[in-house]
Amino acid sequence: SILVSVLSLLPNLRALRLKGAPSAAILEILTFLPQLETLDTEYFGAALTRYDDVPAANLRHLTVRTSSVHIQGFQQLWTWIRRLTPRPSLESFTLNAFSTQGESLIPRGFILDMANTHKDTLRHFTADSTQMTLKDIECLCTVFPALETLSCSTIWGQEGVRAVRLLSRLPRTY
C-alpha cells in the first residue's frame, strides 16, 4: 500500500500516531520501523492478513483505540496486540475500547499472555474504558511486578478488600 511505502522511507521514526490505517497494515508497517518506540493507533476489527513477519520495532509505549458494534466484540483484538509486541520492551499500555454491546472485559488470558512477554518491563497499564474483575486486577498486579500505575474500571464484589490491599502495595506516583 502507499501508506506502507511512505512509512518505510522513515526507518528512524521513533513515535507514530496513525489514525484510519487498516489494522492489518500496522503489522507490516512495524517491520519497516526498527526504531519505533511509541505507537498510538486504531484497531478496526479482524486484522486478516497474510503478513506474518515479526515486527522489527520494540515498542515501549502502545496506545490502541477501538470500538465494537457486534456481539463478538474484540475477539481478535487481543491476538493483534500481542503480535504488535512480540519481544520484551513494552513499558506502558493504554487501551481505549468502547462497545455498544455493554461493558467489555479484558480477558485473563490476554493479561497472562502479555505477562509472558512483558512481565519485567510493563510499568503503566491504562484501560479505563473496559472493565476488569477484581481477581483480574489482582492477577495483573501479581504478574507485572514492576507495575507503577494502574488505571481501570472494575466490577466490585466480595473480593474487593483483598484487591485494595494488593493495590496499596503499588508505589505512589504523586
Side-chain angles (χ1 to χ4, degrees):
S1 77
I2 293 173
L3 177 62
V4 173
S5 297
V6 169
L7 289 174
S8 70
L9 299 173
L10 304 168
N12 294 320
L13 196 64
R14 294 196 179 274
L16 176 63
R17 181 171 188 196
L18 196 55
K19 294 184 75 173
S23 302
I26 302 300
L27 292 165
E28 185 175 358
I29 288 167
L30 291 182
T31 64
F32 296 108
L33 302 175
Q35 303 299 319
L36 194 68
E37 296 178 347
T38 302
L39 176 64
D40 183 333
T41 192
E42 296 170 310
Y43 175 78
F44 290 111
L48 298 174
T49 179
R50 293 177 304 216
Y51 200 81
D52 287 328
D53 287 358
V54 175
N58 288 315
L59 295 176
R60 292 176 53 218
H61 311 282
L62 175 61
T63 298
V64 175
R65 302 166 195 283
T66 190
S67 61
S68 175
V69 294
H70 54 81
I71 195 72
Q72 294 188 1
F74 307 114
Q75 214 166 27
Q76 299 298 317
L77 171 67
W78 316 112
T79 301
W80 182 77
I81 291 170
R82 288 192 320 269
R83 287 186 68 196
L84 296 178
T85 59
R87 290 174 297 284
S89 63
L90 199 60
E91 295 176 18
S92 70
F93 174 68
T94 300
L95 176 64
N96 294 311
F98 300 93
S99 173
T100 60
Q101 298 297 317
E103 295 294 332
S104 55
L105 290 169
I106 296 176
R108 170 83 56 100
F110 172 73
I111 295 168
L112 295 173
D113 287 342
M114 289 292 280
N116 282 336
T117 306
H118 305 288
K119 69 177 178 201
D120 296 324
T121 59
L122 191 70
R123 288 170 171 47
H124 311 284
F125 188 95
T126 303
D128 294 333
S129 56
T130 53
Q131 288 199 340
M132 296 178 69
T133 67
L134 291 174
K135 292 220 180 264
D136 287 337
I137 292 171
E138 179 180 13
C139 174
L140 188 87
C141 293
T142 301
V143 299
F144 292 106
L147 198 64
E148 296 174 10
T149 60
L150 171 61
S151 180
C152 65
S153 295
T154 187
I155 301 168
W156 189 260
Q158 291 295 345
E159 73 269 16
V161 173
R162 183 171 179 210
V164 168
R165 285 186 188 132
L166 184 65
L167 288 173
S168 69
R169 293 187 312 181
L170 290 175
R172 298 186 190 269
T173 57
Y174 51 87

